[in-house]
PDB file of all heavy atoms in Angstrom:
ATOM      1  N   VAL A 140    -200.671  61.906 142.940  1.00  0.00           N
ATOM      2  CA  VAL A 140    -200.723  60.425 142.691  1.00  0.00           C
ATOM      3  C   VAL A 140    -199.493  60.064 141.792  1.00  0.00           C
ATOM      4  O   VAL A 140    -199.550  60.463 140.707  1.00  0.00           O
ATOM      5  CB  VAL A 140    -202.036  59.969 142.165  1.00  0.00           C
ATOM      6  CG1 VAL A 140    -202.032  58.414 142.045  1.00  0.00           C
ATOM      7  CG2 VAL A 140    -203.183  60.359 143.100  1.00  0.00           C
ATOM      8  N   GLU A 141    -198.617  59.249 142.365  1.00  0.00           N
ATOM      9  CA  GLU A 141    -197.448  58.809 141.580  1.00  0.00           C
ATOM     10  C   GLU A 141    -197.833  57.461 140.906  1.00  0.00           C
ATOM     11  O   GLU A 141    -198.600  56.718 141.379  1.00  0.00           O
ATOM     12  CB  GLU A 141    -196.251  58.559 142.460  1.00  0.00           C
ATOM     13  CG  GLU A 141    -195.826  59.813 143.237  1.00  0.00           C
ATOM     14  CD  GLU A 141    -196.360  59.843 144.637  1.00  0.00           C
ATOM     15  OE1 GLU A 141    -197.400  59.255 144.910  1.00  0.00           O
ATOM     16  OE2 GLU A 141    -195.676  60.446 145.510  1.00  0.00           O
ATOM     17  N   SER A 142    -197.217  57.264 139.729  1.00  0.00           N
ATOM     18  CA  SER A 142    -197.288  56.029 139.001  1.00  0.00           C
ATOM     19  C   SER A 142    -196.038  55.765 138.212  1.00  0.00           C
ATOM     20  O   SER A 142    -195.238  56.652 138.012  1.00  0.00           O
ATOM     21  CB  SER A 142    -198.562  56.098 138.094  1.00  0.00           C
ATOM     22  OG  SER A 142    -198.437  57.068 137.153  1.00  0.00           O
ATOM     23  N   GLY A 143    -195.882  54.512 137.686  1.00  0.00           N
ATOM     24  CA  GLY A 143    -194.730  54.287 136.841  1.00  0.00           C
ATOM     25  C   GLY A 143    -193.692  53.435 137.402  1.00  0.00           C
ATOM     26  O   GLY A 143    -192.733  53.014 136.707  1.00  0.00           O
ATOM     27  N   GLY A 144    -193.831  53.149 138.758  1.00  0.00           N
ATOM     28  CA  GLY A 144    -192.729  52.354 139.414  1.00  0.00           C
ATOM     29  C   GLY A 144    -192.839  50.907 139.001  1.00  0.00           C
ATOM     30  O   GLY A 144    -193.822  50.484 138.343  1.00  0.00           O
ATOM     31  N   GLY A 145    -191.797  50.115 139.340  1.00  0.00           N
ATOM     32  CA  GLY A 145    -191.792  48.742 139.039  1.00  0.00           C
ATOM     33  C   GLY A 145    -190.423  48.135 139.175  1.00  0.00           C
ATOM     34  O   GLY A 145    -189.520  48.705 139.781  1.00  0.00           O
ATOM     35  N   LEU A 146    -190.282  46.935 138.664  1.00  0.00           N
ATOM     36  CA  LEU A 146    -189.006  46.201 138.700  1.00  0.00           C
ATOM     37  C   LEU A 146    -188.286  46.260 137.371  1.00  0.00           C
ATOM     38  O   LEU A 146    -188.914  46.080 136.286  1.00  0.00           O
ATOM     39  CB  LEU A 146    -189.309  44.707 139.026  1.00  0.00           C
ATOM     40  CG  LEU A 146    -188.095  43.772 138.974  1.00  0.00           C
ATOM     41  CD1 LEU A 146    -187.143  44.207 140.057  1.00  0.00           C
ATOM     42  CD2 LEU A 146    -188.514  42.310 139.177  1.00  0.00           C
ATOM     43  N   VAL A 147    -186.994  46.692 137.329  1.00  0.00           N
ATOM     44  CA  VAL A 147    -186.240  46.837 136.212  1.00  0.00           C
ATOM     45  C   VAL A 147    -184.842  46.291 136.424  1.00  0.00           C
ATOM     46  O   VAL A 147    -184.315  46.445 137.559  1.00  0.00           O
ATOM     47  CB  VAL A 147    -186.199  48.298 135.729  1.00  0.00           C
ATOM     48  CG1 VAL A 147    -185.601  49.222 136.747  1.00  0.00           C
ATOM     49  CG2 VAL A 147    -185.637  48.499 134.281  1.00  0.00           C
ATOM     50  N   GLN A 148    -184.175  45.868 135.327  1.00  0.00           N
ATOM     51  CA  GLN A 148    -182.825  45.434 135.500  1.00  0.00           C
ATOM     52  C   GLN A 148    -181.836  46.677 135.459  1.00  0.00           C
ATOM     53  O   GLN A 148    -182.175  47.686 134.843  1.00  0.00           O
ATOM     54  CB  GLN A 148    -182.448  44.463 134.381  1.00  0.00           C
ATOM     55  CG  GLN A 148    -183.080  43.073 134.502  1.00  0.00           C
ATOM     56  CD  GLN A 148    -182.637  42.142 133.520  1.00  0.00           C
ATOM     57  OE1 GLN A 148    -182.214  42.481 132.382  1.00  0.00           O
ATOM     58  NE2 GLN A 148    -182.592  40.845 133.864  1.00  0.00           N
ATOM     59  N   ALA A 149    -180.673  46.497 136.050  1.00  0.00           N
ATOM     60  CA  ALA A 149    -179.645  47.567 135.961  1.00  0.00           C
ATOM     61  C   ALA A 149    -179.372  47.884 134.560  1.00  0.00           C
ATOM     62  O   ALA A 149    -179.246  47.041 133.630  1.00  0.00           O
ATOM     63  CB  ALA A 149    -178.354  47.118 136.633  1.00  0.00           C
ATOM     64  N   GLY A 150    -179.251  49.283 134.335  1.00  0.00           N
ATOM     65  CA  GLY A 150    -179.021  49.756 132.981  1.00  0.00           C
ATOM     66  C   GLY A 150    -180.323  50.080 132.214  1.00  0.00           C
ATOM     67  O   GLY A 150    -180.237  50.790 131.254  1.00  0.00           O
ATOM     68  N   GLY A 151    -181.472  49.695 132.792  1.00  0.00           N
ATOM     69  CA  GLY A 151    -182.786  50.026 132.186  1.00  0.00           C
ATOM     70  C   GLY A 151    -183.271  51.407 132.510  1.00  0.00           C
ATOM     71  O   GLY A 151    -182.630  52.152 133.148  1.00  0.00           O
ATOM     72  N   SER A 152    -184.518  51.666 132.054  1.00  0.00           N
ATOM     73  CA  SER A 152    -185.140  52.900 132.178  1.00  0.00           C
ATOM     74  C   SER A 152    -186.548  52.813 132.717  1.00  0.00           C
ATOM     75  O   SER A 152    -187.277  51.771 132.505  1.00  0.00           O
ATOM     76  CB  SER A 152    -185.127  53.789 130.939  1.00  0.00           C
ATOM     77  OG  SER A 152    -183.893  53.994 130.409  1.00  0.00           O
ATOM     78  N   LEU A 153    -187.014  53.882 133.447  1.00  0.00           N
ATOM     79  CA  LEU A 153    -188.344  53.972 133.916  1.00  0.00           C
ATOM     80  C   LEU A 153    -188.748  55.423 133.872  1.00  0.00           C
ATOM     81  O   LEU A 153    -187.927  56.362 133.989  1.00  0.00           O
ATOM     82  CB  LEU A 153    -188.582  53.453 135.339  1.00  0.00           C
ATOM     83  CG  LEU A 153    -188.625  52.018 135.567  1.00  0.00           C
ATOM     84  CD1 LEU A 153    -188.660  51.689 137.106  1.00  0.00           C
ATOM     85  CD2 LEU A 153    -189.736  51.281 134.924  1.00  0.00           C
ATOM     86  N   ARG A 154    -190.074  55.700 133.653  1.00  0.00           N
ATOM     87  CA  ARG A 154    -190.585  57.056 133.668  1.00  0.00           C
ATOM     88  C   ARG A 154    -191.684  57.183 134.668  1.00  0.00           C
ATOM     89  O   ARG A 154    -192.680  56.526 134.542  1.00  0.00           O
ATOM     90  CB  ARG A 154    -191.119  57.534 132.279  1.00  0.00           C
ATOM     91  CG  ARG A 154    -191.450  59.020 132.235  1.00  0.00           C
ATOM     92  CD  ARG A 154    -192.197  59.255 130.935  1.00  0.00           C
ATOM     93  NE  ARG A 154    -192.261  60.690 130.600  1.00  0.00           N
ATOM     94  CZ  ARG A 154    -193.049  61.287 129.789  1.00  0.00           C
ATOM     95  NH1 ARG A 154    -193.897  60.503 129.021  1.00  0.00           N
ATOM     96  NH2 ARG A 154    -193.015  62.572 129.560  1.00  0.00           N
ATOM     97  N   LEU A 155    -191.426  57.975 135.707  1.00  0.00           N
ATOM     98  CA  LEU A 155    -192.414  58.145 136.755  1.00  0.00           C
ATOM     99  C   LEU A 155    -193.287  59.352 136.424  1.00  0.00           C
ATOM    100  O   LEU A 155    -192.890  60.342 135.876  1.00  0.00           O
ATOM    101  CB  LEU A 155    -191.764  58.381 138.140  1.00  0.00           C
ATOM    102  CG  LEU A 155    -190.709  57.276 138.626  1.00  0.00           C
ATOM    103  CD1 LEU A 155    -190.225  57.579 139.996  1.00  0.00           C
ATOM    104  CD2 LEU A 155    -191.463  55.900 138.538  1.00  0.00           C
ATOM    105  N   SER A 156    -194.548  59.214 136.863  1.00  0.00           N
ATOM    106  CA  SER A 156    -195.479  60.321 136.577  1.00  0.00           C
ATOM    107  C   SER A 156    -196.145  60.719 137.969  1.00  0.00           C
ATOM    108  O   SER A 156    -196.376  59.892 138.863  1.00  0.00           O
ATOM    109  CB  SER A 156    -196.657  59.947 135.697  1.00  0.00           C
ATOM    110  OG  SER A 156    -196.116  59.642 134.419  1.00  0.00           O
ATOM    111  N   CYS A 157    -196.454  61.993 138.148  1.00  0.00           N
ATOM    112  CA  CYS A 157    -197.154  62.501 139.312  1.00  0.00           C
ATOM    113  C   CYS A 157    -198.323  63.351 138.765  1.00  0.00           C
ATOM    114  O   CYS A 157    -198.118  64.435 138.177  1.00  0.00           O
ATOM    115  CB  CYS A 157    -196.181  63.368 140.157  1.00  0.00           C
ATOM    116  SG  CYS A 157    -197.002  64.226 141.480  1.00  0.00           S
ATOM    117  N   ALA A 158    -199.507  62.839 139.031  1.00  0.00           N
ATOM    118  CA  ALA A 158    -200.771  63.522 138.584  1.00  0.00           C
ATOM    119  C   ALA A 158    -201.268  64.378 139.691  1.00  0.00           C
ATOM    120  O   ALA A 158    -201.567  63.853 140.848  1.00  0.00           O
ATOM    121  CB  ALA A 158    -201.822  62.531 138.089  1.00  0.00           C
ATOM    122  N   ALA A 159    -201.437  65.672 139.480  1.00  0.00           N
ATOM    123  CA  ALA A 159    -201.918  66.573 140.529  1.00  0.00           C
ATOM    124  C   ALA A 159    -203.345  66.955 140.222  1.00  0.00           C
ATOM    125  O   ALA A 159    -203.834  66.914 139.115  1.00  0.00           O
ATOM    126  CB  ALA A 159    -201.147  67.848 140.528  1.00  0.00           C
ATOM    127  N   SER A 160    -204.120  67.231 141.295  1.00  0.00           N
ATOM    128  CA  SER A 160    -205.508  67.558 141.183  1.00  0.00           C
ATOM    129  C   SER A 160    -205.808  68.947 140.716  1.00  0.00           C
ATOM    130  O   SER A 160    -206.920  69.299 140.407  1.00  0.00           O
ATOM    131  CB  SER A 160    -206.228  67.285 142.463  1.00  0.00           C
ATOM    132  OG  SER A 160    -205.674  68.110 143.554  1.00  0.00           O
ATOM    133  N   ILE A 161    -204.707  69.877 140.699  1.00  0.00           N
ATOM    134  CA  ILE A 161    -204.755  71.174 140.264  1.00  0.00           C
ATOM    135  C   ILE A 161    -203.585  71.487 139.394  1.00  0.00           C
ATOM    136  O   ILE A 161    -202.656  70.695 139.305  1.00  0.00           O
ATOM    137  CB  ILE A 161    -204.892  72.229 141.413  1.00  0.00           C
ATOM    138  CG1 ILE A 161    -203.543  72.199 142.250  1.00  0.00           C
ATOM    139  CG2 ILE A 161    -206.041  71.981 142.280  1.00  0.00           C
ATOM    140  CD1 ILE A 161    -203.461  73.255 143.272  1.00  0.00           C
ATOM    141  N   ASN A 162    -203.624  72.714 138.751  1.00  0.00           N
ATOM    142  CA  ASN A 162    -202.506  73.169 137.897  1.00  0.00           C
ATOM    143  C   ASN A 162    -201.250  73.166 138.746  1.00  0.00           C
ATOM    144  O   ASN A 162    -201.153  73.840 139.748  1.00  0.00           O
ATOM    145  CB  ASN A 162    -202.873  74.483 137.379  1.00  0.00           C
ATOM    146  CG  ASN A 162    -201.878  75.033 136.295  1.00  0.00           C
ATOM    147  OD1 ASN A 162    -200.676  74.659 136.309  1.00  0.00           O
ATOM    148  ND2 ASN A 162    -202.412  75.802 135.365  1.00  0.00           N
ATOM    149  N   ILE A 163    -200.205  72.463 138.283  1.00  0.00           N
ATOM    150  CA  ILE A 163    -198.980  72.425 139.067  1.00  0.00           C
ATOM    151  C   ILE A 163    -198.181  73.747 139.029  1.00  0.00           C
ATOM    152  O   ILE A 163    -197.329  73.977 139.855  1.00  0.00           O
ATOM    153  CB  ILE A 163    -197.968  71.267 138.581  1.00  0.00           C
ATOM    154  CG1 ILE A 163    -197.590  71.459 137.134  1.00  0.00           C
ATOM    155  CG2 ILE A 163    -198.675  69.959 138.801  1.00  0.00           C
ATOM    156  CD1 ILE A 163    -196.543  70.493 136.642  1.00  0.00           C
ATOM    157  N   PHE A 164    -198.592  74.640 138.116  1.00  0.00           N
ATOM    158  CA  PHE A 164    -197.946  76.015 138.197  1.00  0.00           C
ATOM    159  C   PHE A 164    -198.419  76.796 139.333  1.00  0.00           C
ATOM    160  O   PHE A 164    -197.995  77.928 139.511  1.00  0.00           O
ATOM    161  CB  PHE A 164    -198.162  76.645 136.890  1.00  0.00           C
ATOM    162  CG  PHE A 164    -197.283  76.164 135.723  1.00  0.00           C
ATOM    163  CD1 PHE A 164    -197.736  75.154 134.957  1.00  0.00           C
ATOM    164  CD2 PHE A 164    -196.028  76.701 135.495  1.00  0.00           C
ATOM    165  CE1 PHE A 164    -196.927  74.691 133.898  1.00  0.00           C
ATOM    166  CE2 PHE A 164    -195.223  76.211 134.544  1.00  0.00           C
ATOM    167  CZ  PHE A 164    -195.678  75.187 133.701  1.00  0.00           C
ATOM    168  N   SER A 165    -199.420  76.298 140.101  1.00  0.00           N
ATOM    169  CA  SER A 165    -199.895  76.933 141.355  1.00  0.00           C
ATOM    170  C   SER A 165    -198.823  76.904 142.366  1.00  0.00           C
ATOM    171  O   SER A 165    -198.932  77.595 143.383  1.00  0.00           O
ATOM    172  CB  SER A 165    -201.175  76.332 141.863  1.00  0.00           C
ATOM    173  OG  SER A 165    -202.172  76.445 140.793  1.00  0.00           O
ATOM    174  N   PHE A 166    -197.821  76.001 142.211  1.00  0.00           N
ATOM    175  CA  PHE A 166    -196.767  75.715 143.223  1.00  0.00           C
ATOM    176  C   PHE A 166    -195.484  76.369 142.742  1.00  0.00           C
ATOM    177  O   PHE A 166    -195.118  76.325 141.612  1.00  0.00           O
ATOM    178  CB  PHE A 166    -196.587  74.272 143.450  1.00  0.00           C
ATOM    179  CG  PHE A 166    -197.873  73.530 143.858  1.00  0.00           C
ATOM    180  CD1 PHE A 166    -198.588  72.806 142.980  1.00  0.00           C
ATOM    181  CD2 PHE A 166    -198.369  73.656 145.181  1.00  0.00           C
ATOM    182  CE1 PHE A 166    -199.724  72.145 143.408  1.00  0.00           C
ATOM    183  CE2 PHE A 166    -199.501  73.063 145.550  1.00  0.00           C
ATOM    184  CZ  PHE A 166    -200.196  72.303 144.686  1.00  0.00           C
ATOM    185  N   ASP A 167    -194.792  76.936 143.735  1.00  0.00           N
ATOM    186  CA  ASP A 167    -193.434  77.559 143.446  1.00  0.00           C
ATOM    187  C   ASP A 167    -192.455  76.496 143.001  1.00  0.00           C
ATOM    188  O   ASP A 167    -191.654  76.701 142.047  1.00  0.00           O
ATOM    189  CB  ASP A 167    -192.932  78.278 144.642  1.00  0.00           C
ATOM    190  CG  ASP A 167    -193.781  79.516 145.015  1.00  0.00           C
ATOM    191  OD1 ASP A 167    -194.314  80.131 144.162  1.00  0.00           O
ATOM    192  OD2 ASP A 167    -193.873  79.702 146.328  1.00  0.00           O
ATOM    193  N   THR A 168    -192.428  75.401 143.663  1.00  0.00           N
ATOM    194  CA  THR A 168    -191.431  74.281 143.409  1.00  0.00           C
ATOM    195  C   THR A 168    -192.084  72.935 143.500  1.00  0.00           C
ATOM    196  O   THR A 168    -192.911  72.736 144.408  1.00  0.00           O
ATOM    197  CB  THR A 168    -190.285  74.397 144.341  1.00  0.00           C
ATOM    198  OG1 THR A 168    -189.665  75.678 144.287  1.00  0.00           O
ATOM    199  CG2 THR A 168    -189.142  73.359 143.976  1.00  0.00           C
ATOM    200  N   MET A 169    -191.772  72.032 142.592  1.00  0.00           N
ATOM    201  CA  MET A 169    -192.228  70.649 142.755  1.00  0.00           C
ATOM    202  C   MET A 169    -191.011  69.813 142.599  1.00  0.00           C
ATOM    203  O   MET A 169    -189.961  70.204 142.015  1.00  0.00           O
ATOM    204  CB  MET A 169    -193.160  70.270 141.627  1.00  0.00           C
ATOM    205  CG  MET A 169    -194.493  71.017 141.760  1.00  0.00           C
ATOM    206  SD  MET A 169    -195.837  70.264 140.715  1.00  0.00           S
ATOM    207  CE  MET A 169    -196.110  68.771 141.636  1.00  0.00           C
ATOM    208  N   GLY A 170    -191.034  68.558 143.190  1.00  0.00           N
ATOM    209  CA  GLY A 170    -189.837  67.794 143.160  1.00  0.00           C
ATOM    210  C   GLY A 170    -190.135  66.313 143.420  1.00  0.00           C
ATOM    211  O   GLY A 170    -191.299  65.933 143.680  1.00  0.00           O
ATOM    212  N   TRP A 171    -189.129  65.544 143.175  1.00  0.00           N
ATOM    213  CA  TRP A 171    -189.127  64.078 143.507  1.00  0.00           C
ATOM    214  C   TRP A 171    -188.091  63.793 144.604  1.00  0.00           C
ATOM    215  O   TRP A 171    -186.989  64.320 144.561  1.00  0.00           O
ATOM    216  CB  TRP A 171    -188.756  63.307 142.275  1.00  0.00           C
ATOM    217  CG  TRP A 171    -189.775  63.209 141.162  1.00  0.00           C
ATOM    218  CD1 TRP A 171    -189.819  64.079 140.068  1.00  0.00           C
ATOM    219  CD2 TRP A 171    -190.870  62.415 141.055  1.00  0.00           C
ATOM    220  NE1 TRP A 171    -190.973  63.761 139.319  1.00  0.00           N
ATOM    221  CE2 TRP A 171    -191.625  62.747 139.841  1.00  0.00           C
ATOM    222  CE3 TRP A 171    -191.368  61.356 141.843  1.00  0.00           C
ATOM    223  CZ2 TRP A 171    -192.734  62.063 139.448  1.00  0.00           C
ATOM    224  CZ3 TRP A 171    -192.487  60.624 141.466  1.00  0.00           C
ATOM    225  CH2 TRP A 171    -193.176  60.979 140.303  1.00  0.00           C
ATOM    226  N   TYR A 172    -188.602  62.959 145.555  1.00  0.00           N
ATOM    227  CA  TYR A 172    -187.732  62.531 146.628  1.00  0.00           C
ATOM    228  C   TYR A 172    -187.812  61.030 146.653  1.00  0.00           C
ATOM    229  O   TYR A 172    -188.738  60.419 146.070  1.00  0.00           O
ATOM    230  CB  TYR A 172    -188.205  63.098 147.993  1.00  0.00           C
ATOM    231  CG  TYR A 172    -188.041  64.585 148.141  1.00  0.00           C
ATOM    232  CD1 TYR A 172    -188.801  65.570 147.388  1.00  0.00           C
ATOM    233  CD2 TYR A 172    -187.143  65.096 149.029  1.00  0.00           C
ATOM    234  CE1 TYR A 172    -188.607  66.823 147.524  1.00  0.00           C
ATOM    235  CE2 TYR A 172    -186.927  66.444 149.163  1.00  0.00           C
ATOM    236  CZ  TYR A 172    -187.618  67.310 148.378  1.00  0.00           C
ATOM    237  OH  TYR A 172    -187.492  68.650 148.554  1.00  0.00           O
ATOM    238  N   ARG A 173    -186.809  60.333 147.271  1.00  0.00           N
ATOM    239  CA  ARG A 173    -186.831  58.921 147.420  1.00  0.00           C
ATOM    240  C   ARG A 173    -186.396  58.542 148.824  1.00  0.00           C
ATOM    241  O   ARG A 173    -185.585  59.202 149.483  1.00  0.00           O
ATOM    242  CB  ARG A 173    -185.999  58.305 146.314  1.00  0.00           C
ATOM    243  CG  ARG A 173    -184.508  58.529 146.467  1.00  0.00           C
ATOM    244  CD  ARG A 173    -183.775  58.021 145.247  1.00  0.00           C
ATOM    245  NE  ARG A 173    -182.300  58.170 145.341  1.00  0.00           N
ATOM    246  CZ  ARG A 173    -181.553  57.868 144.339  1.00  0.00           C
ATOM    247  NH1 ARG A 173    -181.976  57.411 143.168  1.00  0.00           N
ATOM    248  NH2 ARG A 173    -180.181  58.022 144.472  1.00  0.00           N
ATOM    249  N   GLN A 174    -186.802  57.283 149.270  1.00  0.00           N
ATOM    250  CA  GLN A 174    -186.428  56.745 150.460  1.00  0.00           C
ATOM    251  C   GLN A 174    -186.129  55.254 150.233  1.00  0.00           C
ATOM    252  O   GLN A 174    -186.986  54.441 149.975  1.00  0.00           O
ATOM    253  CB  GLN A 174    -187.487  56.880 151.587  1.00  0.00           C
ATOM    254  CG  GLN A 174    -187.070  56.403 152.970  1.00  0.00           C
ATOM    255  CD  GLN A 174    -188.013  56.894 154.040  1.00  0.00           C
ATOM    256  OE1 GLN A 174    -189.227  57.302 153.691  1.00  0.00           O
ATOM    257  NE2 GLN A 174    -187.500  56.965 155.222  1.00  0.00           N
ATOM    258  N   ALA A 175    -184.859  54.906 150.445  1.00  0.00           N
ATOM    259  CA  ALA A 175    -184.406  53.493 150.294  1.00  0.00           C
ATOM    260  C   ALA A 175    -184.541  52.759 151.580  1.00  0.00           C
ATOM    261  O   ALA A 175    -184.614  53.434 152.647  1.00  0.00           O
ATOM    262  CB  ALA A 175    -182.901  53.549 149.924  1.00  0.00           C
TER     263      ALA A 175
END
């Protein structure tokens, strides 16, 4: 479950979070992707 998105002006900052239902070290690789 992702959270932290929103509207921000150019030059600003945001911090996105991804909450997993299990220990994320159970996975070899985790990542962020985006689609414009």
Side-chain angles (χ1 to χ4, degrees):
V140 180
E141 303 96 333
S142 62
L146 176 64
V147 65
Q148 291 185 329
S152 298
L153 285 174
R154 190 190 194 193
L155 305 184
S156 298
C157 173
S160 59
I161 64 172
N162 190 330
I163 62 174
F164 285 91
S165 299
F166 304 103
D167 296 324
T168 304
M169 295 194 70
W171 289 95
Y172 292 71
R173 68 186 181 186
Q174 187 166 19

